[in-house]
Amino acid sequence: MKIGFIGLGRMGSAMAANLVKAGHDVTVFNRSPEKRRALLELGAHEADSVADACHGQVIITMLADDTAVADVAFSKYGIVETLAKGAIHLSMSTISVALSKRLSETHAHAGQRFVAAPVFGRPDAAAAANLFIVAAGEPAAVEACKPLFDALGQKTFPISTEPTAANLVKLSGNFLLAAAIEALGEAIALVGKAGIDRGAYVDLLTSTIFPVPAYKTYGGLIAESRFEPAAFAAPLGFKDIRLALAAAESLRVPMPLGSLLHDRFLRLLAQGGDNLDWAAIGGLAAQDAGDAQTAKH
Ligand SMILES: NC(=O)c1ccc[n+]([C@@H]2O[C@H](COP(=O)([O-])OP(=O)(O)OC[C@H]3O[C@@H](n4cnc5c(N)ncnc54)[C@H](OP(=O)(O)O)[C@@H]3O)[C@@H](O)[C@H]2O)c1
């Protein structure tokens, strides 16, 4: 397929590379041009502007947050202004339900199609084309994106015809992940301060009652206090908790654990955690316990 790809960060660079490797005709754009270079060497075409990337059947966005996506979509010479009628904006970033709704309505008004397809999986999963993709939109548009999903992930879940549903499912999933990180952090702080081997503790739990990828990944990072380099940066994790709480507020769903996580992220960021992985909220309990061995950050 002839496609454009905007946003070559930790996730987007790996995803765009897999699309090129799968034989798609990919034109890439990134705000910071130096990140385009590796993709050009793989065979992608370079766009010097958002508009330049919007000449294909599909334009994919994989950007940090609502501000970035709204900027490339709604600004002068942005996606809405330049994408052909009938072409698809495939939004794979983790964005708010409210922005997804606005994008869906604006693209429909412009005669374009909109599919929301946020992903589960960190940059290593993106590089291995092992992402899980939650897709929502008009069925024919979702189906048209299937060759792209096949190149990016191990499984795609078409969840609804309403794009916002995919964004809400993604935000709820990240809320659950953050809750697991906090719970692991507290449990590991407890046994760690008692002098029990934290790695052995995580191995025990994840090979018995919690044989779950999230517990294995984050339990390992917390046990070793390995929060750098960030694969998923703490400010983006904080963004997802804020967006989950915003959706909860508009639906009138109390999420007390979400409010607690909001403050955990605030504490981490207030104390200089911007460059750490979001797993670093799992290190706060050890700091609170005055456990010098783990209180590195
Ligand atoms: N990392 C993960 O494990 C993971 C997993 C699942 C989903 N996600 C989601 O995927 C999305 C991308 O995450 P990431 O980890 O790849 O983030 P990242 O490494 O921080 O990359 C962010 C991208 O957004 C661009 N950007 C930021 N602000 C911009 C603006 N105002 N205008 C234009 N471009 C802007 C950056 O451009 P520059 O290069 O110019 O800064 C970069 O291309 C996020 O929504 C995140 O929540 C991440």
Side-chain angles (χ1 to χ4, degrees), residues 8-11 30-32 35 62-64 68 94 121 231 239:
L8 303 173
R10 293 178 180 89
M11 295 293 285
N30 193 65
R31 178 181 63 176
S32 311
K35 290 190 193 160
M62 191 54 173
L63 295 156
T94 307
K239 173 245 325 169

Side-chain angles (χ1 to χ4, degrees), residues 119-133:
V119 303
F120 287 109
R122 287 158 63 89
D124 55 342
N130 268 339
L131 295 170
F132 291 111
I133 301 168

